[in-house]
Amino acid sequence: MKALVLAAGFPQIALIQELKKRNIEVVLADYNAEPVAKPYADKYYQESTLDIPKIKEIAVSEAVDFLITVCTDQALLTVAKVSEELGLPCYIDYKTALNVTNKQYMKDVFMHHGIPTSKYVILKEFDEEKIKGFRYPLIVKPVDCNSSKGVRRCDNLEELKEFFSAAAKMSRTDTAIIEEFIEGKELSADFYISDGKANLLSLSQSNKIAEKDKFVIFRAVFPPACSKGLESKVQKIGQQIADAFGIKNAPMLVQMLTDGRNLDVIEFSARTGGGIKYLLIKHISGFDVINAVVDLTLGNHPECDVKAPATKYLVNDFIYCKPGTFDRLENFEEMKEQGYLKDYYIFKWKGAKFDSINNSGDRVAGYTVTADSLDELINKHNIVRANIRVEDSNGTDIARHDLLTDLDRAEFQ
């Protein structure tokens, strides 16, 4: 068999490895010249995963048996569309994929089905009349982008006009959403929908860079400081979303805000979270979501057997850089060998250039620290932060160490 994998980031390495275990030849496509997953594939095409005609052309010329991706919204839309046009298997149909990747449709369905979410309006052209009665601050975002691309906080009308224009230009439909800003901690809930039942695999807290108009995740912590009652509400909302969108068999990510008692859904997708989220899920629930997506695509239905967490405490840190050019990581392997790091991950290739931090796709690397007590976790985390470096070719450390802040005990249960 032969598969066409779309996107070539870190999660796709695990996907390619799973396909190779099954003796499936892998053709890979991504817009970058030297993405991190390229060396793992049998053949590589440098093409945008959003270019549906070009991806279809590759699928036909390579005579692939199926297309597949993990942990990314927009590539999933392409997979569903091309699969449908070519009569190839896919765990999600194109209409559903379109519905779960378009924030306009998503918010409308939330409102119709009583799923808690912020007040919003969808616009192609800015119209001040449409936001009368809205209270600042407001959030503006493209209706069809992921990884926090184009998401900005606006504290006044002047900022709103500027950021709306930028967000609409980033949208493939020239459309942006404006919504009221909700204060609270962000929770990330990963589910696996099996025969329509929403199984909660992991619940973690996402910490974002402390800049008023940026929404870039730099850390995930488990277990988050929330009550069992709130976890029950998360489970209920997951089921409501699966029912409302008709999702029967698929992974599902739901991002929510909480004030400790109530929940408001930011957005969701019929996929696993990006980056190393699939590994966090495996640590917490024992469920291999990458394996499950391959099974689903091939027509099998994996059993969702959720196990007790393999660790009591876990933190994932994501590393961003000052302006410069990435060459290598230093001291990461030593920290792993000494037992301070559970593992570490490289998201960018040697020679990747950095100028600013705009979205989650700008992270260069990440690492996981696990422990059986909170004191142990904090101690390990402090040692790791003090020793790791991200260097350019001159040996200069370009990591944003200021973002690797102290762990806050109040964030954990």
Side-chain angles (χ1 to χ4, degrees):
M1 295 186 76
K2 185 190 289 188
L4 173 54
V5 173
L6 299 193
F10 184 80
Q12 281 73 40
I13 295 175
L15 173 59
I16 293 169
Q17 290 173 330
E18 178 60 36
L19 293 168
K20 290 294 189 71
K21 283 181 190 175
R22 304 181 189 217
N23 297 314
I24 297 172
E25 184 180 349
V26 175
V27 178
L28 182 63
D30 189 277
Y31 73 96
N32 287 303
E34 296 295 332
V36 292
K38 180 180 176 180
Y40 297 82
D42 297 298
K43 192 171 184 179
Y44 182 70
Y45 287 87
Q46 186 183 355
E47 298 289 351
S48 170
T49 59
L50 305 184
D51 189 338
I52 290 176
K54 178 58 70 172
I55 296 300
K56 182 178 179 180
E57 180 184 316
I58 294 169
V60 171
S61 66
E62 290 289 342
V64 299
D65 296 285
F66 61 94
L67 294 87
I68 192 169
T69 193
V70 290
C71 307
T72 175
D73 275 334
Q74 302 307 315
L76 176 61
L77 189 61
T78 302
V79 166
K81 177 65 172 175
V82 175
S83 298
E84 192 168 288
E85 290 184 356
L86 297 179
L88 299 177
C90 183
Y91 74 83
I92 188 170
D93 63 84
Y94 176 65
K95 181 180 179 182
T96 302
L98 188 62
N99 290 341
V100 303
T101 54
N102 186 288
K103 295 178 179 66
Q104 176 174 357
Y105 182 84
M106 190 182 300
K107 295 283 276 191
D108 289 347
V109 173
F110 286 169
M111 287 296 187
H112 182 72
H113 289 267
I115 297 166
T117 193
S118 58
K119 185 177 179 181
Y120 71 99
V121 64
I122 311 288
L123 299 172
K124 275 187 171 290
E125 295 182 1
F126 184 78
D127 184 348
E128 191 175 345
E129 286 294 315
K130 297 293 185 181
I131 58 166
K132 277 193 172 179
F134 280 56
R135 55 178 175 76
Y136 286 93
L138 298 174
I139 301 297
V140 63
K141 61 183 78 169
V143 297
D144 49 9
C145 289
N146 59 2
S147 298
S148 67
K149 293 184 179 73
V151 182
R152 304 295 294 271
R153 168 176 162 158
C154 316
D155 288 326
N156 53 60
L157 182 60
E158 184 178 339
E159 288 183 343
L160 181 59
K161 288 179 179 178
E162 177 187 350
F163 297 155
F164 175 86
S165 176
K169 287 177 182 176
M170 292 182 71
S171 166
R172 294 196 301 279
T173 59
D174 301 315
T175 309
I177 179 171
I178 300 171
E179 59 187 4
E180 289 188 340
F181 176 74
I182 298 175
E183 292 281 359
K185 295 180 178 179
E186 183 169 325
L187 297 178
S188 180
D190 277 276
F191 295 84
Y192 182 72
I193 314 302
S194 179
D195 293 327
K197 179 184 177 183
N199 301 279
L200 181 60
L201 302 176
S202 72
L203 182 64
S204 58
Q205 180 176 317
S206 299
N207 294 351
K208 297 193 171 182
I209 292 174
E211 294 183 18
K212 71 117 178 164
D213 64 344
K214 296 287 181 68
F215 297 87
V216 182
I217 296 172
F218 74 93
R219 175 173 294 156
V221 300
F222 168 84
C226 62
S227 66
K228 292 296 182 183
L230 199 66
E231 286 189 29
S232 297
K233 289 181 180 179
V234 169
Q235 174 67 62
K236 180 180 177 182
I237 285 175
Q239 189 63 60
Q240 282 182 284
I241 292 173
D243 292 343
F245 287 83
I247 300 172
K248 298 301 181 185
N249 293 282
M252 186 174 79
L253 166 67
V254 184
Q255 295 164 281
M256 293 169 273
L257 290 169
T258 180
D259 59 5
R261 294 173 299 174
N262 303 304
L263 291 166
D264 285 278
V265 177
I266 303 170
E267 59 190 51
F268 90 102
S269 183
R271 64 172 175 91
T272 300
I276 56 176
K277 194 61 171 301
Y278 73 94
L279 290 172
L280 183 145
I281 293 170
K282 197 179 283 189
H283 281 304
I284 294 173
S285 69
F287 188 75
D288 188 336
V289 72
I290 302 289
N291 182 68
V293 169
V294 176
D295 277 344
L296 279 178
T297 303
L298 296 178
N300 303 315
H301 290 270
E303 182 180 351
C304 188
D305 181 18
V306 179
K307 298 179 172 60
T311 184
K312 287 190 70 174
Y313 295 93
L314 179 150
V315 58
N316 283 334
D317 272 353
F318 303 110
I319 304 173
Y320 298 86
C321 288
K322 304 170 189 175
T325 302
F326 171 59
D327 187 76
R328 59 188 176 270
L329 301 183
E330 285 292 327
N331 299 329
F332 282 76
E333 189 61 30
E334 290 82 354
M335 290 288 97
K336 182 178 178 180
E337 290 174 355
Q338 293 171 33
Y340 296 112
L341 282 183
K342 178 69 176 177
D343 213 340
Y344 64 93
Y345 327 93
I346 303 175
F347 302 133
K348 295 294 184 181
W349 50 94
K350 183 175 180 177
K353 297 184 182 301
F354 299 96
D355 49 20
S356 60
I357 303 172
N358 295 307
N359 56 69
S360 299
D362 293 324
R363 60 184 64 157
V364 65
Y367 61 81
T368 299
V369 180
T370 61
D372 291 326
S373 72
L374 191 49
D375 285 339
E376 180 191 3
L377 186 77
I378 291 171
N379 180 58
K380 284 183 172 181
H381 188 257
N382 287 339
I383 291 171
V384 170
R385 290 189 301 147
N387 284 277
I388 58 173
R389 294 169 58 88
V390 178
E391 296 185 352
D392 62 15
S393 59
N394 297 318
T396 302
D397 186 3
I398 59 173
R400 285 286 303 272
H401 288 278
D402 58 303
L403 298 179
L404 302 177
T405 56
D406 292 341
L407 293 182
D408 184 351
R409 289 177 179 273
E411 293 177 344
F412 295 85
Q413 279 185 8

